[in-house]
Amino acid sequence: MYPEWRKRRFFELHLAWLVQGPRGYELLFKVNPYSLYETREEALAAARELLKERLDQDPRVGRGKAPVLLTEEDRARFLALLEGGRALLPLDRYALLGEVAEVEERLLHRAPFSDPRNVLHSLQGLPVRLLYTPLNDPEAESQEVAQGVLEVLPEGVRVGGVLLPIPQGTPIEGLAYEEAFFHLGEGRYYLYALSSSTPS
């Protein structure tokens, strides 16, 4: 297994607004996008930076506006709780939730088709689904091209009875043992593993 395919330990920062519902707090919206950091200290530093501003939803996630503005005292109390790993700060009928969680994740890897480290090789021999989406039609839905065991050949890939030629320099992106995607001609191809038995 190549180092690029291995899971690595990270610290993920979650910030979210909750609202009081009939059975307790419910998610109103997640503030920040999926964010991984090498150390707990880096995740906490990122939280400190976010807390300097209004805690509106990051535009990459959505358009939610902070239901409550934090006072300096609220910020200090929230950060003190977050340093312990998890923070829940009730504010009237809302609450701010924060967590720094240790996770093991694979990073997105990119390599040309000719490189043996491209993630298609990690999917070799696994049952996969191959989908195609035309690039020139934003309304188009993905179409299934094939389903079956993936075979990576020097000239392309075979899924079930379908052979898809791939030029050597084509960039292949994805998460090892999980998914791969690439552009060919006027479309984007996406393969994902149908079995969840993936090594660490």
Side-chain angles (χ1 to χ4, degrees):
M1 181 191 301
Y2 295 104
E4 298 90 341
W5 293 358
R6 292 185 194 280
K7 285 187 175 178
R8 290 175 43 203
R9 191 184 71 150
F10 292 99
F11 292 89
E12 187 176 4
L13 172 64
H14 301 277
L15 289 177
W17 281 107
L18 309 180
V19 62
Q20 186 72 50
R23 294 193 202 115
Y25 286 118
E26 299 171 356
L27 179 68
L28 182 61
F29 63 80
K30 186 167 165 38
V31 173
N32 61 322
Y34 183 69
S35 49
L36 298 176
Y37 301 90
E38 298 279 340
T39 65
R40 181 179 296 281
E41 291 68 34
E42 286 177 44
L44 289 169
R48 279 187 214 98
E49 283 304 307
L50 284 168
L51 284 163
K52 287 179 182 174
E53 309 292 326
R54 272 181 62 113
L55 280 179
D56 293 339
Q57 196 169 28
D58 185 295
R60 291 170 291 178
V61 181
R63 294 199 171 121
K65 296 292 178 198
V68 178
L69 296 180
L70 301 179
T71 65
E72 281 307 312
E73 187 181 314
D74 291 336
R75 292 174 210 275
R77 204 169 68 198
F78 184 78
L79 279 170
L81 291 168
L82 191 59
E83 283 171 5
R86 192 167 196 275
L88 181 66
L89 183 67
L91 300 156
D92 288 330
R93 56 182 290 250
Y94 298 98
L96 181 61
L97 173 69
E99 185 175 18
V100 175
E102 192 172 339
V103 295
E104 281 206 341
E105 296 284 342
R106 288 185 178 85
L107 292 179
L108 198 64
H109 181 61
R110 181 181 170 114
F113 179 70
S114 58
D115 188 328
R117 292 170 301 176
N118 88 57
V119 295
L120 285 170
H121 289 283
S122 72
L123 296 165
Q124 168 92 353
L126 294 178
V128 299
R129 197 164 168 221
L130 174 63
L131 304 173
Y132 171 80
T133 309
L135 291 173
N136 56 3
D137 184 359
E139 301 293 314
E141 301 235 346
S142 293
Q143 306 154 14
E144 182 174 299
V145 176
Q147 192 169 317
V149 172
L150 175 67
E151 191 180 351
V152 181
L153 306 166
E155 68 276 9
V157 295
R158 179 175 286 131
V159 177
V162 174
L163 175 64
L164 179 65
I166 303 175
Q168 295 296 304
T170 304
I172 308 294
E173 291 184 78
L175 298 172
Y177 306 103
E178 296 174 36
E179 62 181 13
F181 47 92
F182 50 92
H183 292 108
L184 277 184
E186 297 299 310
R188 180 174 192 253
Y189 288 88
Y190 174 64
L191 286 105
Y192 68 91
L194 295 172
S195 74
S196 58
S197 57
T198 62
S200 300

